[in-house]
Amino acid sequence: MPVPHIRRWKPLAMTAAAVLVGITVPAAADAATTDPTPPAAAAGAYDDTYYKDAVGKTGPELKSALHTIISDQTKLSYDQVWDALKATDQDPADSGNVILLYTGRSQSKDSNGGDPDQWNREHVWAKSHGDFGTATGPGTDIHHLRPTDVSVNSTRGNKDFDNGGSEVGEAPGNYTDSDSFEPRDAVKGDVARMILYMAVRYDGEDGFADLEPNDKVDNGSAPAIGRLSVLKQWSDEDPPDTFEKNRNQAIYDQFQHNRNPFVDHPEWVGAIW
């Protein structure tokens, strides 16, 4: 049995070895959370405009209102995702690099591909959960697509999210077992809010499955990902930081022109689920 581990919230785990050409680790623990361009909007800045039809609602009414709002978006092709991620996940301390989701490593934008230590496009809502693949729509929605180390992406695979397991050797601070994956503390909330965005955005329209979180693991190809109770805990204990807010703003301003409402209003997680 794996040895239980103690979590400490919000340290930015940057301990992965940087041994490849073009890979650097940010000098400061907060390097991935300083302001890139464009600056993030202040909390509530869009309540009178973008979110005006959702403010004041709760439960299914809030979810339905948000679905209508965020479904108005520009859709990218899977090839366009490469360049989009180079902008949305740019290292604010080094404009030539991106920050990888699970390792926290700062890596050259040009070091993307299929080799084990390059970075590729991780579907945080695993694309087999609902069988949408890389189709334009959920398969290319950059609100849940992130740069990740190729081999760490493979380790995560299509597992659900939950606490526990053995530490991932190539990505200290991340844990995995046979049916679940636990990301490092600094991005737990990010992962939760990406999953919950997908559940609101994709509700069975557009020819795709109705994506919903549930409170179990080992969901296989069902259009579901768990564990919801853990995701809610992660969102509460790891609130949006500057990097996540700026990423949301860049997606809105430059690419899809829609927002992740749970980055702007994390309290809406509890208002819906």
Side-chain angles (χ1 to χ4, degrees):
M1 296 291 293
V3 177
H5 59 278
I6 299 173
R7 286 174 205 88
R8 297 177 176 83
W9 293 104
K10 292 307 293 179
L12 194 56
M14 295 291 183
T15 57
V19 297
L20 298 178
V21 174
I23 301 175
T24 60
V25 176
D30 290 334
T33 59
T34 54
D35 284 325
T37 301
Y46 288 90
D47 285 2
D48 294 333
T49 53
Y50 189 74
Y51 293 123
K52 63 183 177 62
D53 293 331
V55 171
K57 294 181 170 68
T58 60
E61 288 187 351
L62 175 58
K63 185 180 179 186
S64 177
L66 291 176
H67 168 74
T68 299
I69 292 166
I70 67 178
S71 294
D72 184 8
Q73 71 179 99
T74 299
K75 296 177 181 178
L76 306 181
S77 72
Y78 199 45
D79 283 342
Q80 289 174 316
V81 167
W82 284 120
D83 287 336
L85 296 185
K86 291 176 183 179
T88 60
D89 291 75
Q90 177 175 298
D91 181 353
D94 186 341
S95 62
N97 287 10
V98 291
I99 299 292
L100 307 191
L101 177 63
Y102 297 131
T103 61
R105 190 169 73 222
S106 178
Q107 183 154 332
S108 170
K109 292 178 178 179
D110 296 329
S111 182
N112 60 306
D115 293 339
D117 289 309
Q118 291 183 308
W119 66 268
N120 62 3
R121 298 160 291 185
E122 155 86 331
H123 290 80
V124 176
W125 185 294
K127 57 185 182 288
S128 63
H129 289 234
D131 196 29
F132 53 76
T134 59
T136 298
T140 64
D141 194 317
I142 55 176
H143 276 295
H144 86 117
L145 280 156
R146 300 293 294 268
T148 57
D149 177 273
V150 169
S151 54
V152 176
N153 186 338
S154 179
T155 297
R156 187 265 158 140
N158 68 347
K159 296 173 183 176
D160 294 84
F161 292 104
D162 197 2
N163 291 317
S166 301
E167 190 167 39
V168 179
E170 194 173 353
N174 298 263
Y175 298 82
T176 192
D177 56 25
S178 63
D179 56 19
S180 71
F181 189 89
E182 177 187 346
R184 61 192 177 100
D185 290 346
V187 296
K188 279 182 164 70
D190 309 51
V191 165
R193 287 180 284 274
M194 286 185 278
I195 292 295
L196 299 177
Y197 162 89
M198 292 291 284
V200 172
R201 171 61 186 88
Y202 299 98
D203 69 350
E205 299 175 354
D206 303 329
F208 298 108
D210 181 5
L211 306 183
E212 290 294 339
N214 61 16
D215 208 36
K216 65 177 187 177
V217 295
D218 203 15
N219 278 291
S221 61
I225 278 186
R227 185 178 303 266
L228 177 58
S229 58
V230 173
L231 293 170
K232 289 173 63 179
Q233 175 191 359
W234 290 354
S235 182
D236 183 57
E237 294 181 323
D238 174 35
D241 60 16
T242 305
F243 186 86
E244 186 182 3
K245 292 176 182 177
N246 283 329
R247 187 177 195 277
N248 193 32
Q249 192 68 35
I251 293 172
Y252 179 71
D253 289 339
Q254 302 175 39
F255 299 102
Q256 294 185 178
H257 311 297
N258 71 340
R259 305 183 68 82
N260 183 334
F262 304 113
V263 176
D264 295 322
H265 283 281
E267 73 276 9
W268 281 347
V269 172
I272 294 175
W273 288 282

